[in-house]
């Protein structure tokens, strides 16, 4: 089933709730700290400007996994094994590298994933490149679906195309197929067990979020001199509270999936042990101290946030008609359980993201702004020295790139003014965002709110760092600060583009692209799937049209005629030898085995002369085949 439209719709709805909840918490937190409504509104805006993007990513991932709750662990486990096998046999750096099986699905999978990664990390995609990305994802999905059926012995033994692909996989897996399958099944059941155990923490956090939102939203409205009426409670406070709670559930759920299924915690721990093993004494001390700080910040910030939510939840539970009648003791027990479950889920989220940020900072591969020679030099240094050497290299490279620019660009007065505005603005936005998140957990016993807010801001920096680090950004990331600057500084940016165009040689459109920081569309070499994979996909598409016509053939004679024709075509297709046009020899004669003019006339015949589309569904399928497989030629056996 195609969950994509539903996935994006639910993501938009629950992201709105989670972002609203965060904005309310930041607003009320700043109001508690300063008593200033304007500062509180600014804090709410700064809280969501970066966190909104992070929430959207996590909620989208959480929704996707929730909609396929019973299948995604199994599917991802098989896909991870497929990735491992493809890298084992077709990564040139692997000791088991084998390039003799040029038509292997494993090679297709390895090269298509590389191609997809290039497209995803491009600054900007053309319309054709976006279509290429969609096609690439479709090809990868077909290989994954085939591999899962292969591992579970669900292939059609009567289909010669599937038997050929099966033989190619057997060549690499040899006698390990049953062992791999058994190991995967054991791991799948183990992960499902742990994921079910995480559900109480997920639900507990969501319930706490609802109580907090229900308590804090009226407080925020009252501070704005608005009256909290029953209508406002029914149509604003209740919906936002529920959506915010579900949004937080999905974020927590996605975090547990990352820990249990993707084993991020274990991976970071293994990398940490490897780093300690290969480091000098000063570097070991640095890493140990850093890990203690990360752990301490995550725990302290979680306790402070849980304490703040505890206070708000006490107000919220008293406002709910069906909970306010309970005894104080019962209400306290409910809040205690909810706060504990929330805190345990929250500390996992904070800690895992902090470890990811630590890995990003200490990983040489993260620094994409370095030259290959600098990358090699950095890898030889200790992690401690890398942290100080990388910035100096990046500054040097930026200066050298600036020197190589034409004099007209270097002395563009408008560019200088824009730079002097943008850099401080982005710095202030980021620091302001950290503070705005820090105040969401500012109430911890008798500790001054400024102290807890500062610790929360530092923890937020560690949580967000790997999201905003330049090495992770691509065309999927939305830069709200950049959009705001482009709008506000558009006169200056047009002036800068005009200056470069007048004094330089570049086209005006290119000057505008540079001035407005629009990504550059670069040529990316296309990677076409092998003839064998396209042959399999073609056969599958024909089979889908057959299945459709089999249902229609019960009541329609025209459908029977079309079904017979498609059956003959499929039979001929399965017996044919697939060849890509680019690989054809000029002396070879190829013949199309799909359709002649008489066949087209049959497929174009309508079920009714009164109603029906301009083009029949069978003809639509023919056109789709021409578009999807333009370079595939089938020769008769």
């Amino acid at each position: 089933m195609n969950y994509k439209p539903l996935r994006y719709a639910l993501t938009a709805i629950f992201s709105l709730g989670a972002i609203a909840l965060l904005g309310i918490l930041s607003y009320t937190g700043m109001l508690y700290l300063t008593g200033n409504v304007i500062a509180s509104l600014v804090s709410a805006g700064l809280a969501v400007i970066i966190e909104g993007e992070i929430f959207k990513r996590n909620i989208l991932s959480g929704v996707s996994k929730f909609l396929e709750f019973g299948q995604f662990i199994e599917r991802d486990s098989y896909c991870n094994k497929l990735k491992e096998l493809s890298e084992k046999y077709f990564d040139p750096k692997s000791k088991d590298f084998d390039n003799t099986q040029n038509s292997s699905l494993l090679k297709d999978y390895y090269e298509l994933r590389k191609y997809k990664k290039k497209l995803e990390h491009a600054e900007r995609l053309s319309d054709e490149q976006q279509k290429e990305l969609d096609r690439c994802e479709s090809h990868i999905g077909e290989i994954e679906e085939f591999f899962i059926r292969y591992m579970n012995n669900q292939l059609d033994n009567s289909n010669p195309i599937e038997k050929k692909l099966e033989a190619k996989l057997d060549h690499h897996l040899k006698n390990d197929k049953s062992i791999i399958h058994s190991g995967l099944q054991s791991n799948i059941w183990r992960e499902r067990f742990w994921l079910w155990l995480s559900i109480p923490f997920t639900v507990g956090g969501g319930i706490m979020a609802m109580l907090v939102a229900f308590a804090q939203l009226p407080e925020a409205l009252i501070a704005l001199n608005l009256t909290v009426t029953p209508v406002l409670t029914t149509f604003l406070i209740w919906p936002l509270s529920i959506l915010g709670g579900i949004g937080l559930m999905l974020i927590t759920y996605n975090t547990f999936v990352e820990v249990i299924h993707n084993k991020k915690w274990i991976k970071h721990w293994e990398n940490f042990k490897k780093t300690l093993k290969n480091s000098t004494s000063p570097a070991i001390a640095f890493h140990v101290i850093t890990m203690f700080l990360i752990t301490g910040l995550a725990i302290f910030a979680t306790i402070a946030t849980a304490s703040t939510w505890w206070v708000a939840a006490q107000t919220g539970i008293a406002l709910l008609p069906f909970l306010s009648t309970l005894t104080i003791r019962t209400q306290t027990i409910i809040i205690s359980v909810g706060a504990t479950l929330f805190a345990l889920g929250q500390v996992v989220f904070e800690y895992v993201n902090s470890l990811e940020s630590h890995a990003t900072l200490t990983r040489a591969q993260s620094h994409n702004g370095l030259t290959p020679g600098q990358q090699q030099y950095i890898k030889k240094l200790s992690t401690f020295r890398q942290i100080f050497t990388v910035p100096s290299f990046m500054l040097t490279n930026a200066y050298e790139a600036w020197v190589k620019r034409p004099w007209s660009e270097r002395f563009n007065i408008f560019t200088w003014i824009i730079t002097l505005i943008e850099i401080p603005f982005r710095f202030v936005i980021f620091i302001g965002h950290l503070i705005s998140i820090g105040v969401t957990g500012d109430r911890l016993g008798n500790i001054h709110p400024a102290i807890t807010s500062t610790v929360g801001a530092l923890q937020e920096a560690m949580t967000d760092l790997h999201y905003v680090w330049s090495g992770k950004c691509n065309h999927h990331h939305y830069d709200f600060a950049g959009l705001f600057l482009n709008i506000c500084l558009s006169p200056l940016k047009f002036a800068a583009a005009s200056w470069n165009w007048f004094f330089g040689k570049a086209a005006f459109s290119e000057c505008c692209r540079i001035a407005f920081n629009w990504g550059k569309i670069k040529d990316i070499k296309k990677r076409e799937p092998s003839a064998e994979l396209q042959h399999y996909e073609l056969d599958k598409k024909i089979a889908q049209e057959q299945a459709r016509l089999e249902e229609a053939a019960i009541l329609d004679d025209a459908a029977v005629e079309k079904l017979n024709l498609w059956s003959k075509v499929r039979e001929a297709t399965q017996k044919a030898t697939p060849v890509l046009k680019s690989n054809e020899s000029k002396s070879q004669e190829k013949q199309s085995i799909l359709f002649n003019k008489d066949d087209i006339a049959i497929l174009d015949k309508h079920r009714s002369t009164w109603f029906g589309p301009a083009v029949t569904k069978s003809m639509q399928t023919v056109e789709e085949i021409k578009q999807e497989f333009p370079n595939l030629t089938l020769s008769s056996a």
Side-chain angles (χ1 to χ4, degrees):
M1 181 178 178
N2 181 17
Y3 289 113
K4 192 171 183 178
L6 177 62
R7 191 167 69 239
Y8 280 99
L10 292 177
T11 297
I13 293 170
F14 296 136
S15 295
L16 174 65
I19 291 168
L21 172 62
L22 179 68
I24 292 164
L25 287 171
S26 182
Y27 175 86
T28 54
M30 185 61 76
L31 191 66
Y32 174 76
L33 193 63
T34 66
N36 189 302
V37 174
I38 301 299
S40 302
L41 288 171
V42 171
S43 179
L46 290 172
V48 303
I49 198 169
I50 294 177
E51 211 71 12
E53 173 73 13
I54 295 171
F55 277 11
K56 185 201 75 176
R57 293 190 203 183
N58 282 276
I59 289 174
L60 177 61
S61 180
V63 167
S64 301
K65 294 176 174 69
F66 182 77
L67 289 175
E68 301 180 46
F69 188 82
Q71 295 86 31
F72 85 89
I73 289 181
E74 182 174 6
R75 189 192 66 248
D76 282 5
S77 296
Y78 281 110
C79 291
N80 288 338
K81 176 55 68 174
L82 176 60
K83 174 187 172 185
E84 179 187 323
L85 290 169
S86 68
E87 291 176 349
K88 178 180 179 181
Y89 293 111
F90 291 100
D91 184 348
K93 298 177 183 178
S94 172
K95 64 178 182 180
D96 296 310
F97 176 64
D98 175 16
N99 203 26
T100 57
Q101 296 288 317
N102 292 324
S103 301
S104 171
L105 279 184
L106 294 179
K107 183 176 182 180
D108 268 314
Y109 192 69
Y110 176 76
E111 294 190 351
L112 285 170
R113 286 185 72 254
K114 282 182 63 179
Y115 181 44
K116 178 187 174 186
K117 189 175 181 180
K118 287 181 181 179
L119 290 170
E120 287 180 331
H121 286 77
E123 293 179 14
R124 188 179 167 198
L125 295 179
S126 65
D127 292 340
E128 181 57 35
Q129 286 173 332
Q130 183 60 54
K131 291 177 183 177
E132 274 294 301
L133 177 59
D134 294 338
R135 284 193 287 265
C136 185
E137 289 175 343
S138 176
H139 293 312
I140 290 172
E142 291 289 355
I143 296 173
E144 290 172 346
E145 182 264 347
F146 182 88
F147 183 75
I148 292 171
R149 292 198 296 122
Y150 165 78
M151 291 299 298
N152 288 281
N153 298 316
Q154 295 173 348
L155 297 180
D156 182 2
N157 292 325
S158 63
N159 188 327
I161 299 175
E162 292 194 1
K163 287 187 73 64
K164 289 178 183 177
L165 294 176
E166 181 182 18
K168 295 289 177 63
L169 287 174
D170 284 339
H171 169 79
H172 288 104
L173 269 66
K174 299 181 176 64
N175 299 321
D176 296 336
K177 179 181 174 182
S178 59
I179 299 174
I180 293 173
H181 181 264
S182 178
L184 285 172
Q185 286 298 317
S186 299
N187 189 60
I188 288 166
W189 282 107
R190 186 165 54 249
E191 288 182 2
R192 281 178 176 167
F193 171 77
W194 284 110
L195 197 57
W196 275 108
L197 285 184
S198 72
I199 295 299
F201 303 100
T202 302
V203 175
I207 293 173
M208 281 293 290
M210 292 180 193
L211 292 175
V212 170
F214 196 75
Q216 296 292 290
L217 191 52
E219 183 181 328
L221 294 173
I222 292 169
L224 294 171
N225 295 320
L226 296 174
T227 303
V228 181
T229 63
V231 174
L232 205 59
T233 301
T234 303
F235 294 102
L236 178 66
I237 296 176
W238 268 109
L240 279 181
S241 300
I242 294 171
L243 291 177
I246 296 174
L248 188 75
M249 283 186 196
L250 290 167
I251 293 171
T252 307
Y253 171 68
N254 183 62
T255 303
F256 277 112
V257 170
E258 292 291 319
V259 173
I260 296 169
H261 179 57
N262 295 335
K263 299 177 175 61
K264 279 198 171 182
W265 207 325
I266 296 173
K267 290 176 183 176
H268 288 308
W269 177 245
E270 292 298 326
N271 289 334
F272 177 66
K273 289 194 296 183
K274 188 185 297 183
T275 302
L276 292 182
K277 185 177 180 181
N278 300 326
S279 299
T280 59
S281 296
I284 291 174
F286 168 77
H287 280 294
V288 171
I289 292 171
T290 303
M291 292 304 293
F292 270 114
L293 286 174
I294 287 174
T295 305
L297 277 174
I299 293 173
F300 187 90
T302 300
I303 293 173
T305 304
S307 175
T308 304
W309 283 39
W310 171 285
V311 175
Q314 285 181 315
T315 304
I317 201 170
L319 295 174
L320 294 174
F322 54 91
L323 293 177
S324 59
T325 56
L326 299 175
T327 63
I328 299 297
R329 180 183 177 85
T330 305
Q331 291 180 5
T332 303
I333 291 173
I334 292 173
I335 295 173
S336 300
V337 173
T340 302
L341 294 174
F342 160 75
L344 290 172
Q346 184 70 10
V347 76
V348 171
F349 177 81
E350 302 280 4
Y351 194 58
V352 168
N353 280 283
S354 295
L355 289 175
E356 188 78 13
S357 296
H358 176 263
T360 301
L361 279 174
T362 57
R363 188 169 57 228
Q365 292 83 351
S366 304
H367 311 298
N368 296 334
L370 304 184
T371 65
Q374 290 171 338
Q375 286 274 17
Q376 293 300 321
Y377 177 77
I378 286 293
K379 290 178 182 179
K380 297 175 183 178
L381 300 179
S382 65
T383 307
F384 184 76
R385 290 184 62 190
Q386 283 183 22
I387 293 174
F388 296 98
T389 306
V390 169
S392 66
F393 277 162
M394 297 182 79
L395 287 172
T396 301
N397 294 343
Y399 174 75
E400 291 177 352
W402 179 78
V403 169
K404 292 177 182 178
R405 291 182 181 179
W407 70 268
S408 57
E409 291 185 22
R410 279 185 281 164
F411 297 101
N412 187 330
I413 186 64
F414 301 106
T415 302
W416 279 99
I417 294 172
I418 292 168
T419 303
L420 291 173
I421 295 173
E422 278 195 351
I423 293 176
F425 178 81
R426 287 183 179 275
F427 178 77
V428 169
I429 287 291
F430 186 66
I431 297 301
H433 168 73
L434 299 183
I435 295 171
S436 69
I437 298 297
V439 298
T440 61
D442 57 358
R443 305 174 202 182
L444 180 59
N446 296 323
I447 299 177
H448 195 281
I451 297 174
T452 53
S453 297
T454 302
V455 174
L458 291 172
Q459 174 56 37
E460 178 64 14
M462 287 303 300
T463 301
D464 285 358
L465 188 62
H466 72 100
Y467 286 102
V468 300
W469 185 260
S470 60
K472 288 181 74 74
C473 291
N474 51 51
H475 67 279
H476 297 293
H477 177 69
Y478 203 82
D479 182 9
F480 289 100
L483 175 63
F484 179 80
L485 285 168
N486 277 343
I487 293 172
C488 294
L489 302 180
S490 55
L492 282 172
K493 296 206 169 194
F494 272 118
S498 300
W499 173 293
N500 290 337
W501 171 72
F502 185 80
F503 290 105
K505 298 180 180 179
F508 184 69
S509 59
E510 178 65 12
C511 294
C512 286
R513 184 193 68 76
I514 295 171
F516 284 87
N517 298 315
W518 295 329
K520 185 175 183 180
I521 298 176
K522 296 181 180 179
D523 290 332
I524 300 175
K525 186 178 180 181
K526 290 185 179 181
R527 200 299 182 184
E528 190 169 11
S530 65
E532 284 76 9
L533 176 57
Q534 293 192 49
H535 194 199
Y536 166 72
E537 291 176 346
L538 173 61
D539 178 68
K540 189 174 178 181
K541 194 167 190 68
I542 295 173
Q544 290 171 350
E545 179 63 12
Q546 275 186 290
R548 185 189 71 81
L549 288 168
E550 282 175 357
E551 295 180 3
I554 299 173
L555 301 173
D556 186 18
D557 292 338
V560 174
E561 192 175 10
K562 293 177 185 178
L563 176 60
N564 292 334
L565 178 58
W566 278 108
S567 298
K568 292 178 182 177
V569 168
R570 190 181 183 199
E571 183 180 353
T573 300
Q574 290 181 346
K575 293 179 180 178
T577 302
V579 181
L580 293 179
K581 286 182 182 178
S582 57
N583 297 330
E584 290 182 38
S585 170
K586 293 183 179 179
S587 61
Q588 276 185 305
E589 292 185 1
K590 305 293 177 185
Q591 59 178 357
S592 172
I593 61 168
L594 288 181
F595 305 103
N596 55 38
K597 291 183 179 180
D598 294 334
D599 296 336
I600 294 297
I602 294 172
L603 297 178
D604 200 30
K605 190 182 296 182
H606 284 275
R607 188 180 304 175
S608 169
T609 56
W610 296 98
F611 303 100
V615 180
T616 63
K617 288 185 177 180
S618 282
M619 282 304 299
Q620 288 176 5
T621 302
V622 172
E623 290 302 315
E624 289 171 3
I625 288 173
K626 290 179 181 179
Q627 292 176 8
E628 292 177 20
F629 310 102
N631 296 323
L632 180 66
T633 302
L634 302 178
S635 63
S636 57

